[in-house]
Amino acid sequence: MSVTSARRTAIRKAVAVALRVTVSSLALSCLLLGAQAREAVADSQKTLKLRRVDAAPSLDGVVDQSWSRADSVSDFVQFQPYVGREPSRKTTAKAMTTEKALYCLMVCLDERKNIQRTTATLDQGSGDIVSLMLDTFGDRRTAYKFAVSASGARADCRLLDDARNRDYNWDGVWFSAAKIYDWGFVIEMEVPYRSVQYDESLTEWGLDFDRWIPTLTEDIYWCAYEQNEGQRISKFGKLVFEDFRPSVKGLNLEVYPVAISKVEYLHDSEYDFSPNAGVDVFYNPSQRLTFQLTANPDFAQIEADPFEFNISRYETYFSERRPFFTEGNEVFMPSGKESGSGFYSPLELFYSRRIGRKLPDGSEVPLLLGTRAFGRLNGWEYGGFVAVTDEKDYELGGEKLTEAQALFSSVRLKKQVLGNSSVGLLYVGKNTEYGSNGVVDLDGAFRASDWQLAYQIARSYRGSEGDFGGSSCLKVVKENYLAAVRTRYVGEEFDVGDVGYVPWKGTTEVTGLCGPMWYLEKGPVQQILIYAGGVLNNEKVDAFTDRMGALGVNMQFRKGWGYEVSAVVGRSKDMDREFDSFDANLSSWFNMSPKWEGSLSAGYSRTYNFFRDYLAFYAWTESYAEWRALDVLALGTTLSFFVEGNPDGEVEDVTVNSRPYVSVTPFNNLNVRMYLDNVYVRSTEKVQQVIGGFLLSYNFRPKSWIYLAVNEVQDRSDEYDAFGTPLPNRMHVTDRACVLKLKYLFYF
């Protein structure tokens, strides 16, 4: 059988399995329908009428006469620190529209001395912030969020999975203005209809407003939410089109010519200068379809990946930060995925770091062309992705090797069912002249506002071989208890190594947790959670099932800080060694002042060290702190200690990693950041690696940027003179680069 026919056979088998599972999923949908049926009507009946005006208001932070025609709301409620209480400060929101754009006004009362005017990024705590949120498809699952600070700094994102997740990579074309007065501040926003996707047949959109008051640690919304659930798009109010429906037509074309000039260090004071150019294109032929293209992109990391200490048997995971792969990626995400370090993390079958990956000698596989399309149609979400990488020669251990030219592709279909749930199908593949590797996946999520059942079933193929993998999670968060169970199975031959990140071959895991939860109406403590449970983890390579019990406490305080302590104890086996395992962890977070924030995590475990190949203790601490010394200046650092024990119970080695930085934002949209990442190893009594970086980024108009980046890496790797004689171990430059990049938006 040829490679091509074997691949087709494997795909057909995988699709057949997925279709069989789809039938089972629909049956399960019917069983869950009764529990979810009353979710079809929004819990919040708040309404704001959107009226059309002929002349657009001036975006200058001044409330002019044109706003007198707009409908307004001011009945906000607290979500933090006291759920359901009246806000400490009054806020009024208005909205109106022209033919081309929606306009929002927010008037926020406060004393000038209390208003935080930082020009920094809009993380929580970085200033007084207001937000506008729009569910433009009426699906009660997804929404756009537009945020502006009192000083005029802007941010946007997409809310996903009924606001359980955030996609901060979305970048829209919209405009705003801010002005501070003695009595408070005013925010005006303009959202062009051609900048968002929407359903033209709707007569109303989902709507909410938000205001964050950092001096009071107070978060207020227009709509009311349950404390155990958090914000939910399904409980948004209504933005009713009184005498107008958006139907903007046009070319809807965004073109970004990209000019790049790079200087790279080669060796012996020699440098390589390489000017280059590329282009990015976004095209919306309709409000339900987006087409994206990148040609000859430069994917050099502006900032080096953070240092990761890894003693496990699995490879280190690195987050994706290249814009082409992050923007509009929501449709390719598996259903039910939780943001950050959530309880449920489905198998990552599309790991875009595999495309244009770094080779063992530090060089990168060049990406020649990338394109994708995604959109919606009658409750369906769909997407397609294609990328072509070029052939690349490299060296490994003195041997010359070649990374073959490859075609990466992905297809995604997702259907909204039962109001606020979904079921989807995903294909991801890599093809070269030497063979193919890929996966077909069926996933879905059934959800109400306070529970979610997510699942994923996948079949991989490499040539004609393949295996199954999957995951699931049921999470219930009620007013007085939490219960959650998750499962993961990865077959011994489940191989997506060229397209995804699933290194746990031949493993099965089941974890269950439950416990009481208290929400206190008064006092400094806001929430207490005590949980207990168990973990079963079978790794076939060890022919053993790890059996562990878990116990933890989580407390959150109204002043913006909290902590969690947990312990996992049980019986484990690694590398033919059965032992009593122990793992204790502490995590805490601090955001009690607009001027500083921080976090501290620590852990101690008795586990197998695969890096050193023995059983011993392992301890670690990781901390982060940032001080906003001035409105335009932030100083911060991360500091980590990794302590490896030996079988005799003594300290084998200590590794210290710190990354101090300075961030200067002289005015909105211009930032200068400098950092110094260094790694110290106690056994050598020397710093083993230093990475220095400088980045100037200026967002001089929507989606248009100037970047100037300088990076240098020094370490103590092997070094030889011109005659091949080893040189004394010393710090020396291994990489140095300067990149000037201009990205300019032409918006048609």
Side-chain angles (χ1 to χ4, degrees), residues 45-90:
Q45 297 300 317
K46 290 188 173 183
T47 299
L48 178 68
K49 296 178 180 179
L50 188 67
R51 296 165 182 157
R52 178 178 172 178
V53 295
D54 295 327
S58 299
L59 257 62
D60 51 13
V62 177
V63 185
D64 56 38
Q65 183 62 29
S66 63
W67 285 107
S68 62
R69 176 165 162 72
D71 194 12
S72 66
V73 296
S74 57
D75 51 338
F76 284 68
V77 294
Q78 282 193 40
F79 182 74
Q80 182 181 329
Y82 296 98
V83 173
R85 285 193 183 181
E86 290 287 327
S88 302
R89 305 288 186 269
K90 184 176 180 179

Side-chain angles (χ1 to χ4, degrees), residues 161-195:
D161 297 330
D162 203 6
R164 290 174 171 85
N165 291 302
R166 305 286 191 273
D167 179 11
Y168 292 101
N169 299 304
W170 183 78
D171 187 15
V173 178
W174 57 286
F175 309 92
S176 64
K179 190 175 179 64
I180 298 174
Y181 300 86
D182 290 338
W183 47 263
F185 63 96
V186 172
I187 302 293
E188 290 182 294
M189 305 184 208
E190 175 190 352
V191 181
Y193 289 116
R194 64 177 181 174
S195 297

Side-chain angles (χ1 to χ4, degrees), residues 650-689:
E650 300 173 343
V651 174
E652 178 68 23
D653 212 343
V654 179
T655 301
V656 183
N657 173 232
S658 64
R659 194 180 179 103
Y661 64 87
V662 177
S663 179
V664 181
T665 311
F667 52 85
N668 291 332
N669 304 321
L670 175 64
N671 178 256
V672 177
R673 178 181 172 90
M674 294 168 284
Y675 71 95
L676 187 67
D677 190 302
N678 59 87
V679 179
Y680 171 83
V681 179
R682 192 193 70 167
S683 60
T684 65
E685 298 184 343
K686 295 177 180 177
V687 174
Q688 295 296 312
Q689 177 181 279

